[in-house]
Amino acid sequence: MTFTSPLFLLALVPVAALAAAYVVLRRRRTRYAVRFATLPMLDRVAPARPRWRRHLATGLVLTALAAFALAAAGPQMRLQVPYERATVIVAIDVSGSMEAQDVPRTA
């Protein structure tokens, strides 16, 4: 696979940096929450929720940015497709026999 504009692949570097920053910030936030709260109070303040929903929006944004960067790079692939040769002939009958009225027209 080749790219028409491979410099656009450099746009993946900030996407990776954003993903790493997100992971670091999420871990830091969890440590601070445990450090400054007692565990029984933490359960009342921050109830347990499904974890995947918390990361869904960020994951979708990062995926969209990565897809945009890849699309902007213009991926191309050489592919051999079987070539079928055919001859098309267009024939128009303009003779007087076509003006006969014995058969009604259909088109």
Side-chain angles (χ1 to χ4, degrees):
M1 179 181 296
T2 60
F3 295 98
T4 57
S5 303
L7 286 177
F8 280 111
L9 291 175
L10 292 175
L12 291 174
V13 173
V15 174
L18 285 172
Y22 178 75
V23 169
V24 168
L25 289 175
R26 291 300 293 178
R27 287 184 185 214
R28 179 184 290 177
R29 185 175 178 189
T30 305
R31 270 191 263 140
Y32 285 142
V34 173
R35 184 182 298 170
F36 294 112
T38 61
L39 290 178
M41 186 175 74
L42 186 62
D43 287 337
R44 278 186 259 136
V45 173
R49 292 188 181 138
R51 290 184 179 193
W52 65 270
R53 269 196 257 163
R54 183 181 323 158
H55 307 295
L56 182 65
T58 306
L60 289 175
V61 168
L62 291 174
T63 303
L65 289 173
F68 178 72
L70 286 173
Q76 292 182 344
M77 178 188 250
R78 280 192 176 257
L79 184 65
Q80 290 190 353
V81 179
Y83 181 69
E84 295 182 21
R85 292 189 145 193
T87 304
V88 177
I89 299 174
V90 178
I92 300 174
D93 189 359
V94 292
S95 66
S97 65
M98 296 307 296
E99 294 183 20
Q101 301 295 328
D102 59 338
V103 178
R105 293 185 179 184
T106 57

